[in-house]
Amino acid sequence: MVMKSSAAPAANSGTAAALSLRVARRAEVADGVVSLTLTRPDGGRLPDWTPGAHVDLVLPGGFTRQYSLCGDRWDAHSYRVAVLREPGGRGGSAFVHEHVREGDLLGLGGPRNNFALAPAREYHFVAGGIGITPLIPMITQAELLGVPWRLLYGGRTRSSMAFAGELARAHGDRVRLLPEDECGRPDLADWLPGPAPGAKVYACGPGGLLDAVRGACDRWPPGQVRTERFVAAAAADSTGGREFEVELRRSGTRLTVGRDQTLLQALAGAGTQVLSSCRQGLCGTCETTVLDGVPDHRDSILDETDRAAGDCMFVCVSRSHSERLVLDL
């Protein structure tokens, strides 16, 4: 699973620094994929970010969607994201493809990082389709640090694989491109090595690919295989189960979360607004520190180690195993 980021604060203050960014450049980078280069209208500096980070784009019409940053993290004045048009999606990607043009203003939240690149002696990157986006800055970082790495990048067709050409030209045989219509599905068990001290696997893409990566890495120790999903592993059931009590340590508020309520809804009903976006336990916006009690984690972000620590939770979907939780709110 994904490693919890140390770059984002665990305590959710309920406020965010909102920016409006201008679309400085729009480009078709693959079949069904457009990239947007975003800058401040005043030309000012943007917040720093680290490889694996994503931003929330607030689109006209009430859409808020998360996209991985895939540009140059050392360019302090622009962000780049790439958006795959998803015919079966919720409308955000279609809006970007059909309506967003150069010169338009879009709202921004973040950046935040639930998929941070941890130090390693070597990296094995696996991408499927648009899952290449968070891995591009990771590859750049590995290059800067002189750490050995290799990339397996699959997609439906060669023309649908964003940035494939530039990656292959820049890095040669360290990049293995496997369009499915030419090569079939990748043999991950053959490509991925056995567990090695200091090695890490980072994978991003469709759920089937990530399940296959985990299966191929079943002998790797916890924490050495890290994945990021663009869609929740399963539709998170954030209601159901028993009622539980919640104490908000900073405000002194006590509340009951009913069986048919989400924790996020109960907090809002008690007058405590916690920032949220995806409502699926996927984006990390609503991360909240747990001071006491045992969370029932139902997100697609935390790995087994973070779940066992029990010191944070995502209140849009998660509940409580204990009768009472104490939150840092």
Side-chain angles (χ1 to χ4, degrees):
M1 292 297 293
V2 176
M3 183 185 74
K4 183 181 67 174
S5 167
S6 60
N12 197 318
S13 64
T15 62
L19 289 175
S20 288
L21 300 189
R22 188 178 303 280
V23 180
R25 184 168 183 265
R26 182 186 189 276
E28 302 279 343
V29 293
D31 292 346
V33 182
V34 298
S35 73
L36 304 177
T37 300
L38 307 168
T39 61
R40 285 178 50 152
D42 63 3
R45 185 184 180 96
L46 292 167
D48 294 337
W49 57 281
T50 54
H54 69 268
V55 292
D56 302 326
L57 288 190
V58 183
L59 308 172
F63 298 110
T64 300
R65 298 292 184 266
Q66 293 74 42
Y67 299 108
S68 295
L69 290 168
C70 60
D72 179 2
R73 63 173 292 215
W74 304 110
D75 177 356
H77 297 89
S78 72
Y79 288 158
R80 183 177 73 170
V81 299
V83 181
L84 169 68
R85 180 163 189 153
E86 300 181 81
R90 295 178 293 154
S93 68
F95 186 94
V96 170
H97 278 254
E98 294 172 11
H99 300 292
V100 173
R101 296 293 180 264
E102 291 180 3
D104 288 352
L105 292 176
L106 304 176
L108 178 95
R112 59 181 60 88
N113 198 338
N114 302 313
F115 192 42
L117 184 68
R121 293 182 181 176
E122 61 184 62
Y123 295 106
H124 304 278
F125 298 115
V126 181
I130 199 64
I132 189 61
T133 51
L135 302 184
I136 292 173
M138 294 186 182
I139 289 170
T140 301
Q141 184 75 0
E143 281 284 281
L144 287 172
L145 296 174
V147 179
W149 63 270
R150 58 207 286 260
L151 167 68
L152 178 68
Y153 179 12
R156 297 186 310 279
T157 64
R158 192 174 295 271
S159 63
S160 73
M161 296 166 63
F163 311 114
E166 67 182 62
L167 285 165
R169 287 190 296 272
H171 303 297
D173 60 7
R174 284 184 291 177
V175 175
R176 184 175 180 186
L177 302 179
L178 291 178
E180 187 173 345
D181 64 338
E182 299 176 25
C183 308
R185 295 191 175 184
D187 184 347
L188 291 169
D190 178 66
W191 187 81
L192 285 165
K200 286 187 170 60
V201 175
Y202 279 82
C204 185
L209 174 69
L210 301 187
D211 291 342
V213 168
R214 285 198 300 273
C217 296
D218 60 352
R219 294 185 295 112
W220 286 64
Q224 285 187 247
V225 179
R226 305 181 181 188
T227 66
E228 181 172 64
R229 294 178 180 268
F230 288 153
V231 177
D237 180 7
S238 52
T239 61
R242 64 181 181 183
E243 293 183 350
F244 59 97
E245 305 298 315
V246 175
E247 176 188 336
L248 309 184
R249 178 61 55 83
R250 281 190 258 164
S251 68
T253 303
R254 296 174 183 268
L255 57 99
T256 300
V257 181
R259 295 180 181 179
D260 59 349
Q261 281 184 302
T262 68
L263 176 50
L264 186 67
Q265 290 169 340
L267 290 168
T272 299
Q273 298 298 324
V274 175
L275 286 176
S276 64
S277 178
C278 70
R279 308 289 176 101
Q280 300 178 68
L282 190 63
C283 72
T285 306
C286 66
E287 184 178 358
T288 302
T289 296
V290 177
L291 301 176
D292 195 16
V294 182
D296 176 6
H297 297 292
R298 303 186 182 187
D299 62 88
S300 296
I301 300 174
L302 298 178
D303 65 14
E304 291 81 359
T305 302
D306 294 321
R307 289 171 184 254
D311 57 0
C312 74
M313 67 187 301
F314 298 95
V315 297
C316 67
V317 294
S318 296
R319 298 181 66 82
S320 180
H321 284 305
S322 55
E323 295 183 357
R324 176 174 168 270
L325 285 177
V326 180
L327 305 180
D328 186 21
L329 293 170

mmCIF file of all heavy atoms in Angstrom, residues 32-33 65-67 83-95 97 130 156 230-231:
data_model
loop_
_atom_site.group_PDB
_atom_site.id
_atom_site.type_symbol
_atom_site.label_atom_id
_atom_site.label_comp_id
_atom_site.label_asym_id
_atom_site.label_seq_id
_atom_site.Cartn_x
_atom_site.Cartn_y
_atom_site.Cartn_z
ATOM 1 N N GLY A 32 -5.848 10.540 -25.870
ATOM 2 C CA GLY A 32 -6.702 10.653 -24.701
ATOM 3 C C GLY A 32 -6.055 11.264 -23.493
ATOM 4 O O GLY A 32 -6.631 11.215 -22.399
ATOM 5 N N VAL A 33 -4.863 11.848 -23.630
ATOM 6 C CA VAL A 33 -4.164 12.457 -22.491
ATOM 7 C C VAL A 33 -3.729 13.872 -22.867
ATOM 8 O O VAL A 33 -3.072 14.065 -23.902
ATOM 9 C CB VAL A 33 -2.923 11.642 -22.065
ATOM 10 C CG1 VAL A 33 -2.252 12.285 -20.850
ATOM 11 C CG2 VAL A 33 -3.300 10.199 -21.754
ATOM 12 N N ARG A 65 -10.722 17.536 -8.549
ATOM 13 C CA ARG A 65 -10.067 16.291 -8.906
ATOM 14 C C ARG A 65 -8.583 16.351 -8.545
ATOM 15 O O ARG A 65 -7.975 17.422 -8.557
ATOM 16 C CB ARG A 65 -10.204 16.007 -10.406
ATOM 17 C CG ARG A 65 -11.658 15.832 -10.856
ATOM 18 C CD ARG A 65 -12.276 14.567 -10.284
ATOM 19 N NE ARG A 65 -13.617 14.354 -10.795
ATOM 20 C CZ ARG A 65 -14.733 14.758 -10.194
ATOM 21 N NH1 ARG A 65 -14.658 15.413 -9.039
ATOM 22 N NH2 ARG A 65 -15.910 14.507 -10.720
ATOM 23 N N GLN A 66 -8.018 15.186 -8.253
ATOM 24 C CA GLN A 66 -6.612 15.099 -7.861
ATOM 25 C C GLN A 66 -5.772 14.604 -9.042
ATOM 26 O O GLN A 66 -6.139 13.625 -9.696
ATOM 27 C CB GLN A 66 -6.431 14.137 -6.680
ATOM 28 C CG GLN A 66 -7.046 14.619 -5.378
ATOM 29 C CD GLN A 66 -8.547 14.527 -5.348
ATOM 30 O OE1 GLN A 66 -9.139 13.545 -5.798
ATOM 31 N NE2 GLN A 66 -9.197 15.542 -4.809
ATOM 32 N N TYR A 67 -4.651 15.294 -9.275
ATOM 33 C CA TYR A 67 -3.738 14.908 -10.345
ATOM 34 C C TYR A 67 -2.304 14.968 -9.842
ATOM 35 O O TYR A 67 -1.908 15.921 -9.159
ATOM 36 C CB TYR A 67 -3.901 15.827 -11.562
ATOM 37 C CG TYR A 67 -5.280 15.774 -12.156
ATOM 38 C CD1 TYR A 67 -6.172 16.836 -12.008
ATOM 39 C CD2 TYR A 67 -5.727 14.635 -12.838
ATOM 40 C CE1 TYR A 67 -7.454 16.780 -12.529
ATOM 41 C CE2 TYR A 67 -7.009 14.565 -13.359
ATOM 42 C CZ TYR A 67 -7.865 15.645 -13.205
ATOM 43 O OH TYR A 67 -9.141 15.578 -13.718
ATOM 44 N N VAL A 83 -3.817 14.651 -17.713
ATOM 45 C CA VAL A 83 -5.183 14.211 -17.439
ATOM 46 C C VAL A 83 -5.623 13.221 -18.515
ATOM 47 O O VAL A 83 -5.656 13.550 -19.708
ATOM 48 C CB VAL A 83 -6.152 15.411 -17.400
ATOM 49 C CG1 VAL A 83 -7.571 14.937 -17.078
ATOM 50 C CG2 VAL A 83 -5.682 16.447 -16.384
ATOM 51 N N LEU A 84 -5.941 12.010 -18.080
ATOM 52 C CA LEU A 84 -6.490 10.989 -18.973
ATOM 53 C C LEU A 84 -7.997 11.164 -19.073
ATOM 54 O O LEU A 84 -8.693 11.285 -18.059
ATOM 55 C CB LEU A 84 -6.178 9.598 -18.412
ATOM 56 C CG LEU A 84 -6.891 8.412 -19.073
ATOM 57 C CD1 LEU A 84 -6.391 8.203 -20.492
ATOM 58 C CD2 LEU A 84 -6.720 7.149 -18.226
ATOM 59 N N ARG A 85 -8.500 11.183 -20.283
ATOM 60 C CA ARG A 85 -9.952 11.229 -20.452
ATOM 61 C C ARG A 85 -10.539 9.861 -20.130
ATOM 62 O O ARG A 85 -10.156 8.849 -20.733
ATOM 63 C CB ARG A 85 -10.333 11.623 -21.873
ATOM 64 C CG ARG A 85 -11.848 11.661 -22.056
ATOM 65 C CD ARG A 85 -12.252 12.412 -23.282
ATOM 66 N NE ARG A 85 -13.699 12.598 -23.290
ATOM 67 C CZ ARG A 85 -14.325 13.586 -23.893
ATOM 68 N NH1 ARG A 85 -13.628 14.510 -24.524
ATOM 69 N NH2 ARG A 85 -15.637 13.669 -23.866
ATOM 70 N N GLU A 86 -11.432 9.840 -19.145
ATOM 71 C CA GLU A 86 -12.044 8.586 -18.697
ATOM 72 C C GLU A 86 -13.520 8.601 -19.062
ATOM 73 O O GLU A 86 -14.327 9.258 -18.393
ATOM 74 C CB GLU A 86 -11.871 8.432 -17.189
ATOM 75 C CG GLU A 86 -10.417 8.394 -16.750
ATOM 76 C CD GLU A 86 -10.279 8.213 -15.260
ATOM 77 O OE1 GLU A 86 -10.391 7.066 -14.810
ATOM 78 O OE2 GLU A 86 -10.074 9.212 -14.559
ATOM 79 N N PRO A 87 -13.915 7.868 -20.121
ATOM 80 C CA PRO A 87 -15.319 7.886 -20.559
ATOM 81 C C PRO A 87 -16.293 7.482 -19.465
ATOM 82 O O PRO A 87 -17.419 7.973 -19.415
ATOM 83 C CB PRO A 87 -15.331 6.882 -21.719
ATOM 84 C CG PRO A 87 -13.923 6.869 -22.222
ATOM 85 C CD PRO A 87 -13.063 7.053 -20.996
ATOM 86 N N GLY A 88 -15.865 6.595 -18.568
ATOM 87 C CA GLY A 88 -16.750 6.150 -17.496
ATOM 88 C C GLY A 88 -16.535 6.874 -16.192
ATOM 89 O O GLY A 88 -16.972 6.409 -15.146
ATOM 90 N N GLY A 89 -15.850 8.006 -16.232
ATOM 91 C CA GLY A 89 -15.534 8.745 -15.018
ATOM 92 C C GLY A 89 -16.681 9.604 -14.527
ATOM 93 O O GLY A 89 -17.822 9.510 -15.008
ATOM 94 N N ARG A 90 -16.364 10.492 -13.589
ATOM 95 C CA ARG A 90 -17.396 11.317 -12.950
ATOM 96 C C ARG A 90 -17.529 12.693 -13.594
ATOM 97 O O ARG A 90 -18.244 13.542 -13.093
ATOM 98 C CB ARG A 90 -17.077 11.474 -11.461
ATOM 99 C CG ARG A 90 -17.127 10.165 -10.674
ATOM 100 C CD ARG A 90 -16.744 10.392 -9.218
ATOM 101 N NE ARG A 90 -15.337 10.772 -9.100
ATOM 102 C CZ ARG A 90 -14.847 11.490 -8.084
ATOM 103 N NH1 ARG A 90 -15.660 11.936 -7.147
ATOM 104 N NH2 ARG A 90 -13.560 11.771 -8.031
ATOM 105 N N GLY A 91 -16.857 12.925 -14.704
ATOM 106 C CA GLY A 91 -17.055 14.162 -15.456
ATOM 107 C C GLY A 91 -15.907 15.142 -15.408
ATOM 108 O O GLY A 91 -15.847 16.057 -16.226
ATOM 109 N N GLY A 92 -14.985 14.981 -14.450
ATOM 110 C CA GLY A 92 -13.882 15.930 -14.326
ATOM 111 C C GLY A 92 -12.933 15.873 -15.502
ATOM 112 O O GLY A 92 -12.555 16.906 -16.072
ATOM 113 N N SER A 93 -12.530 14.667 -15.906
ATOM 114 C CA SER A 93 -11.578 14.551 -17.005
ATOM 115 C C SER A 93 -12.207 14.994 -18.321
ATOM 116 O O SER A 93 -11.546 15.619 -19.158
ATOM 117 C CB SER A 93 -11.056 13.117 -17.108
ATOM 118 O OG SER A 93 -12.068 12.218 -17.511
ATOM 119 N N ALA A 94 -13.475 14.691 -18.504
ATOM 120 C CA ALA A 94 -14.156 15.144 -19.722
ATOM 121 C C ALA A 94 -14.198 16.667 -19.779
ATOM 122 O O ALA A 94 -14.000 17.260 -20.848
ATOM 123 C CB ALA A 94 -15.570 14.569 -19.773
ATOM 124 N N PHE A 95 -14.416 17.308 -18.626
ATOM 125 C CA PHE A 95 -14.444 18.766 -18.604
ATOM 126 C C PHE A 95 -13.088 19.328 -19.004
ATOM 127 O O PHE A 95 -13.008 20.270 -19.795
ATOM 128 C CB PHE A 95 -14.835 19.266 -17.210
ATOM 129 C CG PHE A 95 -15.022 20.748 -17.148
ATOM 130 C CD1 PHE A 95 -16.275 21.316 -17.318
ATOM 131 C CD2 PHE A 95 -13.942 21.598 -16.940
ATOM 132 C CE1 PHE A 95 -16.446 22.689 -17.281
ATOM 133 C CE2 PHE A 95 -14.100 22.976 -16.899
ATOM 134 C CZ PHE A 95 -15.360 23.522 -17.074
ATOM 135 N N HIS A 97 -10.791 17.971 -20.870
ATOM 136 C CA HIS A 97 -10.518 17.740 -22.291
ATOM 137 C C HIS A 97 -11.383 18.604 -23.198
ATOM 138 O O HIS A 97 -10.922 19.066 -24.246
ATOM 139 C CB HIS A 97 -10.731 16.261 -22.621
ATOM 140 C CG HIS A 97 -9.563 15.402 -22.272
ATOM 141 N ND1 HIS A 97 -8.711 14.879 -23.212
ATOM 142 C CD2 HIS A 97 -9.085 14.991 -21.068
ATOM 143 C CE1 HIS A 97 -7.761 14.173 -22.613
ATOM 144 N NE2 HIS A 97 -7.971 14.220 -21.316
ATOM 145 N N ILE A 130 -1.737 6.114 -17.262
ATOM 146 C CA ILE A 130 -1.524 7.430 -16.664
ATOM 147 C C ILE A 130 -0.804 7.322 -15.321
ATOM 148 O O ILE A 130 -0.342 8.329 -14.770
ATOM 149 C CB ILE A 130 -2.867 8.183 -16.518
ATOM 150 C CG1 ILE A 130 -2.666 9.691 -16.353
ATOM 151 C CG2 ILE A 130 -3.695 7.599 -15.390
ATOM 152 C CD1 ILE A 130 -2.036 10.356 -17.556
ATOM 153 N N ARG A 156 -2.161 0.425 -23.089
ATOM 154 C CA ARG A 156 -2.973 -0.283 -24.082
ATOM 155 C C ARG A 156 -2.271 -0.316 -25.440
ATOM 156 O O ARG A 156 -2.179 -1.351 -26.084
ATOM 157 C CB ARG A 156 -4.341 0.388 -24.215
ATOM 158 C CG ARG A 156 -5.186 0.348 -22.956
ATOM 159 C CD ARG A 156 -6.569 0.888 -23.224
ATOM 160 N NE ARG A 156 -6.551 2.179 -23.899
ATOM 161 C CZ ARG A 156 -6.365 3.348 -23.298
ATOM 162 N NH1 ARG A 156 -6.177 3.382 -21.987
ATOM 163 N NH2 ARG A 156 -6.371 4.477 -23.985
ATOM 164 N N PHE A 230 -5.328 5.404 -8.393
ATOM 165 C CA PHE A 230 -6.112 6.552 -8.811
ATOM 166 C C PHE A 230 -7.597 6.307 -8.566
ATOM 167 O O PHE A 230 -8.399 7.228 -8.627
ATOM 168 C CB PHE A 230 -5.871 6.854 -10.289
ATOM 169 C CG PHE A 230 -4.507 7.427 -10.558
ATOM 170 C CD1 PHE A 230 -3.901 7.249 -11.792
ATOM 171 C CD2 PHE A 230 -3.819 8.141 -9.594
ATOM 172 C CE1 PHE A 230 -2.655 7.785 -12.056
ATOM 173 C CE2 PHE A 230 -2.575 8.674 -9.851
ATOM 174 C CZ PHE A 230 -1.990 8.500 -11.076
ATOM 175 N N VAL A 231 -7.957 5.050 -8.320
ATOM 176 C CA VAL A 231 -9.322 4.680 -7.971
ATOM 177 C C VAL A 231 -9.236 3.821 -6.733
ATOM 178 O O VAL A 231 -8.334 2.985 -6.605
ATOM 179 C CB VAL A 231 -10.010 3.902 -9.116
ATOM 180 C CG1 VAL A 231 -11.412 3.465 -8.715
ATOM 181 C CG2 VAL A 231 -10.061 4.749 -10.380
#
